[in-house]
Amino acid sequence: MVRDHGARHRSRRTVSSAAPVPEPAARGTSRRRFLAAVAAGGIAGLVTGCDSDPPGYDTATGTDPMQQVVSFTGPHQAGIATPAPAHLVFTAFDLTIRGRAALRALMRRWTDAIAQLTTGRSTESDTGETASSGPAALTITAGVGPTLFDDRFALTDRRPTALRPLPSFRGERIDPAISGGDLMVQACAEDPMVALHAVRQLTRLADGAARVRWTQRGFGASAAARAHQTPRNLFGQKDGTSNPAVGTPTFDSAVWLPDNTYPAWLRGGSYAVIRKIRMNLGAWDAIPQAEQERAVGRSKDTGAPLSGGGERTAPDFATAGSNGRPVIDVRSHVRLAHPAFNRGAAMLRRGYSYDDGLDASTGEAEAGLFFIAYVADLNRQFIPIQRRLADNDRLAAFTTHISSSVFAVLPGVHDGSYLGQPLLV
Ligand code: HEM
């Protein structure tokens, strides 16, 4: 169970450090919205999305990313609405135990360890590779996969109906060895060693009760780079621009399971969709920039929609060019994925780039996007949008989905409780 580790994370979720709580650049609407978000729900996060600054810690305040503490307790788990730090280690575990009591014991051990690690402390019998590193904004986000609800833990009647493997989509080549799992652990930190260390400690603390099924490292932009612009993906595009802004009703309804959710243990949780998407960098680099921009529907340099304006300007899908056709192509990625064409459905995309080196058989980079989306409703948000993209998206000619996983993300923990307690009591 979470023990009291000091005032820094005693009450609501905060991002803190030896320096004051970091804020986005103190300008206009984004600063006001940030403060309103913190006041409203204790949300630790910088604002992302339309008419806000790019996510990132405010380097202007001199805040050291290595000293950032992101509170582990709160109504929701950290690592979703909190800013995405530069490094990811995502690990899926399979359980080797049976019985709910054994699973409870594991979750208690993990909860205690996460409370230690996220404040930069060592765990019992720590392996020591991050001694003196600082917490580095470490967040750990845990979830449970569909397979947890078989007969091993007497949880069959607690499985949310939506929690099942995703259907198949056109063009995908899913490798089961890097898909699924009983449990997910998403570790994010400003330092790769801190994220790796956290997963290593949790694996050791599992003490044979869970073994790693698959793991993936990912990277994004550094804190300093994020303070200046929206991070770019490996196709060179600004990625994340139109994510719903933290602290808005759109964000809350897109991401969190509401209070009337059944089963009740999921209230305050979310669903995570994980897709490892290989990006064919060679083929992409070989087409002219105008073609690249047509495929996505936005300018590569500025991130602005092809209908005009700046990065934060809303796309106008009706604007036609001199040939009479819409300037944002009907098969462009942003048009197909936009809420206007998906019954209002939005999602939080919080993925990381990956680079697994060269594929020896092709000589091509084995690299792409480790796509992570958080949604409240898989059947209304991710599944129909992905179906439209798989069938029509111009970008899809340059990408291949090679893994597929879905997890129910547990609600947050409070002092004195442990991860998954509402599910496991
Ligand atoms: C390698 C694969 C992908 C790449 C390179 C990619 C890239 C992008 C880019 C550059 C944007 C525009 C900037 C932004 O708003 O973030 C975007 C928007 C978006 N993407 Fe993707 N994406 C990929 C896969 C996916 C998948 C699998 C989904 C969901 C099924 C998805 C859903 C969205 C959504 C919902 C938007 C916002 C649309 C809007 O409201 O304007 N993307 N993506």
Side-chain angles (χ1 to χ4, degrees):
M1 287 189 288
V2 175
R3 296 188 203 105
D4 194 339
H5 294 292
R8 280 195 300 198
H9 66 297
R10 190 168 281 145
S11 52
R12 62 180 191 211
R13 182 184 311 298
T14 52
V15 176
S16 62
S17 68
V21 174
E23 291 173 12
R27 269 183 275 124
T29 55
S30 56
R31 179 181 150 83
R32 281 197 301 278
R33 191 182 292 172
F34 172 81
L35 295 173
V38 170
I43 290 159
L46 305 186
V47 189
T48 62
C50 301
D51 67 19
S52 67
D53 294 318
Y57 297 111
D58 185 4
T59 47
T61 64
T63 310
D64 176 0
M66 290 303 289
Q67 297 310 319
Q68 297 277 345
V69 175
V70 182
S71 167
F72 166 53
T73 52
H76 312 294
Q77 286 193 76
I80 302 172
T82 49
H87 299 278
L88 164 81
V89 178
F90 195 104
T91 307
F93 291 87
D94 278 338
L95 291 159
T96 52
I97 43 174
R98 293 184 81 87
R100 220 183 280 172
L103 184 50
R104 269 199 298 266
L106 171 66
M107 294 316 259
R108 284 201 178 99
R109 288 203 296 282
W110 275 8
T111 304
D112 271 349
I114 295 167
Q116 299 280 100
L117 292 163
T118 50
T119 47
R121 294 159 199 245
S122 309
T123 54
E124 221 169 281
S125 72
D126 197 283
T127 46
E129 66 272 29
T130 54
S132 327
S133 279
L138 174 69
T139 57
I140 302 285
T141 317
V144 297
T147 47
L148 188 85
F149 297 86
D150 58 20
D151 57 3
R152 287 170 296 164
F153 306 101
L155 290 172
T156 40
D157 57 347
R158 298 197 184 179
R159 182 178 69 85
T161 355
L163 184 63
R164 57 173 107 96
L166 294 170
S168 46
F169 299 97
R170 179 176 301 195
E172 67 185 18
R173 294 175 61 186
I174 304 301
D175 179 354
I178 51 169
S179 304
D182 291 335
L183 301 175
M184 70 163 239
V185 170
Q186 173 195 273
C188 300
E190 296 293 5
D191 183 289
M193 191 70 123
V194 169
L196 271 170
H197 168 257
V199 173
R200 185 170 171 210
Q201 302 316 303
L202 297 181
T203 308
R204 280 161 51 88
L205 282 165
D207 196 22
R211 62 173 145 68
V212 173
R213 176 181 171 88
W214 57 265
T215 187
Q216 180 66 49
R217 287 187 58 189
F219 58 91
S222 68
R226 294 198 310 274
H228 296 294
Q229 67 162 339
T230 307
R232 292 181 186 269
N233 61 33
L234 294 181
F235 280 166
Q237 307 154 325
K238 291 191 176 186
D239 201 339
T241 301
S242 55
N243 258 338
V246 172
T248 60
T250 310
F251 182 97
D252 291 346
S253 62
V255 172
W256 306 125
L257 273 306
D259 283 347
N260 59 0
T261 299
Y262 284 97
W265 65 263
L266 201 44
R267 294 172 188 176
S270 186
Y271 287 103
V273 175
I274 318 297
R275 309 276 290 182
K276 186 171 178 179
I277 308 176
R278 182 188 294 144
M279 291 160 65
N280 188 339
L281 303 183
W284 180 257
D285 295 344
I287 62 168
Q289 185 165 330
E291 275 304 298
Q292 297 180 340
E293 294 179 338
R294 185 172 175 224
V296 75
R298 285 181 176 270
S299 145
K300 192 170 176 183
D301 296 338
T302 65
L306 295 183
S307 48
E311 183 186 353
R312 309 287 156 185
T313 308
D316 181 347
F317 298 106
T319 306
S322 51
N323 59 5
R325 298 214 191 97
V327 290
I328 300 182
D329 191 276
V330 292
R331 288 181 52 217
S332 67
H333 184 73
V334 294
R335 185 183 151 119
L336 291 166
H338 194 274
F341 301 98
N342 293 283
R343 300 171 187 223
M347 66 179 78
L348 173 68
R349 291 165 288 127
R350 202 180 182 281
Y352 284 79
S353 295
Y354 76 88
D355 179 1
D356 294 350
L358 274 192
D359 178 337
S361 60
T362 60
E364 294 271 357
E366 177 48 60
L369 175 66
F370 189 72
F371 176 92
I372 304 175
Y374 288 97
V375 295
D377 188 340
L378 291 161
N379 296 313
R380 204 178 70 81
Q381 295 167 278
F382 180 80
I383 293 174
I385 295 177
Q386 173 53 20
R387 185 157 289 129
R388 277 168 68 81
L389 292 176
D391 290 347
N392 303 299
D393 188 6
R394 288 190 180 279
L395 215 54
F398 302 90
T399 63
T400 311
H401 291 225
I402 57 174
S403 87
S404 179
S405 311
V406 63
F407 298 94
V409 178
L410 301 167
V413 290
H414 308 280
D415 288 341
S417 74
Y418 62 89
L419 269 169
Q421 187 165 340
L423 168 67
L424 300 174
V425 284

